[in-house]
Amino acid sequence: MTIYGATVVDTPGDPFAGDPAAALAEDGALLVRDGVIRARGSLAALCEAHPGEPVTRLDGGLLVPGFVDTHVHFPQIRAIGGMGLPLLEWLDRYALPEESKLADLAYARAVAAEFLDGLVASGTTSALVFGSHFAPAMDELFAAAEQRGLNITSGLVVSDRKLRPDLLSSPEAALADSADLLRRWHDRGRLRYAVTPRFSLSASDGMLDACAQLLGQDIWFTSHLNENLAEIATVTELFPGSQHYLDTYSKHGLVTARSVFAHNVHPSDAELTLLAEHDASVAHCPSSNGALGSGLFPLRRHVEHGVHVALGTDVGAGSGLFLPKEALQAYFIQQLLGPAGMSLTPVHLLYLATRAGALTLGLEDRVGDLAVGKDFDAVWLRPADGSTLAVNLRYARDTADALARIFALGTPADVAGVWVRGVRAESAAYPDPR
Ligand SMILES: [Zn+2]
């Protein structure tokens, strides 16, 4: 057992339902045994109740739950920063040529390690990961995630049209390859499988039918939805009988409580209603939306329809793996929307980066906050002395204000420690400076 003395901050409540400040919780210590939080309270109280237990002091900064990224592409970790193009042209020019390289097993292995080490260095301990088009590359990702103990939900990306020929397969091959991966990796430790057509633009009805055949009781589903106007126009042409983009998935039974759709920047009210009816979720990826000029995410309409929303970095269209930066971008976008936007507090931002993601991925009983009984997946955000963030934390009025300054100024360099189910992660990218 270990007692961690820290400024422990999380959002067990829902800031979108009532007073945001009431969703925030703060304590001075956690008792952790076998990777699970066994007690929480003041440092003095935990030390008195558990005399003789070793104490690890995490002084300065905040200890928050491990971040949950609900949309990120592992094969694109080497392709961040492609500027100046909208979605479909960006895919052809930057993303898909890189994804083709994962046909090479050694390349895929290196990319998987770089991707997962990048997640850990950014404080992300759970993620819904958009996979590769190549099954052996998926074995590399799952094996490397298992080795690191991370909560990873992922699956083979399948498509049978409108992409580079080397990224296409048939519904029969996609079904066989996916079923094989699913059988070997789903529900193995902290790993789970997600059926993953790239988007209905690149998936025929036959391919979407194959996806539906894979969806068992506890299998996840993820894809893209309503990201860009040219994409939506093409989907409308390809599926003349469909009512809207979401219908291309829903008519195959692919909209469920375990479905996560990335983007949804341009939804109709009918689509929002359908998402809410099926308890499906949306991964909001603001920096990607900005980089590709996709549009300003209508968060208020999602919340008013009762659609679950969490955050995704959408690397490589997104500009990095650090989820607090994504939360800041979400805040900016809502400000830019004016009266149509939702003014987000720092409590909303912490919730979106942690518990909202856990709820979206059905992991809320295990991660997303630091309550007793949860896994000890945590990030210690402590800036270097003398940094502008350190200066600002010194002048923070209260915990919410400290969070605001972390979201405004924080970078992966401020990640002073990451715990994955109670084990402090070794990060190749950011060795512990203290
Ligand atoms: Zn994406």
Side-chain angles (χ1 to χ4, degrees):
M1 285 200 292
T2 303
I3 294 171
Y4 293 92
T7 303
V8 178
V9 178
D10 61 355
T11 50
D14 179 357
F16 290 97
D19 176 12
L24 193 68
E26 179 181 345
D27 267 302
L30 299 172
L31 173 73
V32 177
R33 187 177 61 220
D34 300 330
V36 176
I37 299 165
R38 309 290 177 167
R40 173 171 167 161
S42 73
L43 183 58
L46 292 195
C47 287
E48 192 182 315
H50 304 275
E53 294 303 333
V55 175
T56 298
R57 298 286 297 257
L58 307 175
D59 292 334
L62 303 179
L63 186 72
V64 302
F67 301 123
V68 184
D69 190 338
T70 60
H71 186 72
V72 57
H73 294 252
F74 107 80
Q76 296 176 11
I77 193 67
R78 296 181 180 181
I80 298 170
M83 292 187 180
L85 295 177
L87 172 67
L88 299 176
E89 291 78 2
W90 174 85
L91 280 169
D92 287 342
R93 169 83 178 275
Y94 292 110
L96 300 182
E98 178 65 22
E99 296 213 9
S100 291
K101 296 179 185 169
L102 275 81
D104 179 305
L105 193 62
Y107 194 94
R109 182 173 302 153
V111 164
E114 290 165 359
F115 170 76
L116 294 169
D117 288 342
L119 284 187
V120 173
S122 297
T124 296
T125 50
S126 300
L128 175 58
V129 176
F130 223 85
S132 166
H133 286 268
F134 304 103
M138 290 310 299
D139 281 320
E140 294 298 327
L141 177 76
F142 281 125
E146 181 173 61
Q147 194 182 29
R148 289 162 176 78
L150 298 168
N151 262 323
I152 297 293
T153 305
S154 189
L156 181 70
V157 180
V158 298
S159 289
D160 62 348
R161 66 180 175 193
K162 289 196 167 291
L163 301 180
R164 299 160 59 96
D166 56 330
L167 299 181
L168 300 179
S169 65
S170 65
E172 297 73 27
L175 187 60
D177 288 348
S178 303
D180 177 50
L181 284 165
L182 192 158
R183 193 181 62 250
R184 287 185 291 113
W185 293 108
H186 180 64
D187 210 14
R188 175 163 152 170
R190 296 181 114 193
L191 306 177
R192 301 179 309 175
Y193 198 81
V195 174
T196 313
R198 183 158 207 114
F199 48 175
S200 56
L201 188 149
S202 70
S204 68
D205 278 308
M207 184 60 92
L208 295 171
D209 260 339
C211 290
Q213 288 181 52
L214 290 161
L215 278 194
Q217 253 193 349
D218 61 344
I219 307 296
W220 288 77
F221 176 84
T222 192
S223 196
H224 295 94
L225 177 69
N226 287 323
E227 179 173 1
N228 161 292
L229 296 174
E231 167 214 18
I232 296 168
T234 306
V235 169
T236 304
E237 278 171 31
L238 288 167
F239 295 91
S242 289
Q243 296 170 34
H244 41 61
Y245 197 153
L246 185 62
D247 190 35
T248 65
Y249 301 113
S250 74
K251 70 183 179 188
H252 293 280
L254 300 172
V255 182
T256 78
R258 288 171 307 285
S259 299
V260 182
F261 294 96
H263 304 303
N264 208 30
V265 177
H266 306 283
S268 63
D269 283 343
E271 288 170 299
L272 291 170
T273 301
L274 192 59
L275 287 167
E277 276 173 9
H278 288 88
D279 220 8
S281 298
V282 166
H284 172 34
C285 310
S287 73
S288 164
N289 295 163
L292 300 178
S294 301
L296 302 176
F297 180 72
L299 177 62
R300 177 179 292 284
R301 289 176 59 216
H302 283 75
V303 171
E304 286 175 355
H305 278 84
V307 179
H308 301 293
V309 176
L311 288 177
T313 58
D314 197 24
V315 156
S319 53
L321 296 167
F322 190 55
L323 220 45
K325 183 172 77 172
E326 214 58 46
L328 180 68
Q329 296 293 323
Y331 166 77
F332 288 157
I333 284 180
Q334 295 310 307
Q335 293 299 102
L336 288 168
L337 278 166
M342 279 196 97
S343 197
L344 296 172
T345 69
V347 179
H348 286 104
L349 301 191
L350 181 62
Y351 175 83
L352 284 169
T354 57
R355 184 160 161 82
L359 285 161
T360 286
L361 301 185
L363 294 170
E364 70 274 17
D365 293 340
R366 291 153 58 186
V367 298
D369 63 78
L370 298 170
V372 172
K374 303 286 169 76
D375 291 351
F376 185 55
D377 279 11
V379 190
W380 183 27
L381 297 168
R382 187 202 183 281
D385 293 338
S387 66
T388 305
L389 177 53
V391 170
N392 272 266
L393 286 180
R394 207 158 61 232
Y395 292 99
R397 292 181 303 277
D398 54 27
T399 305
D401 190 28
L403 278 175
R405 293 164 192 255
I406 281 176
F407 282 108
L409 285 158
T411 74
D414 302 308
V415 173
V418 177
W419 286 260
V420 179
R421 218 168 185 274
V423 178
R424 189 166 186 165
E426 305 270 344
S427 169
Y430 298 98
D432 181 10
R434 276 163 270 272

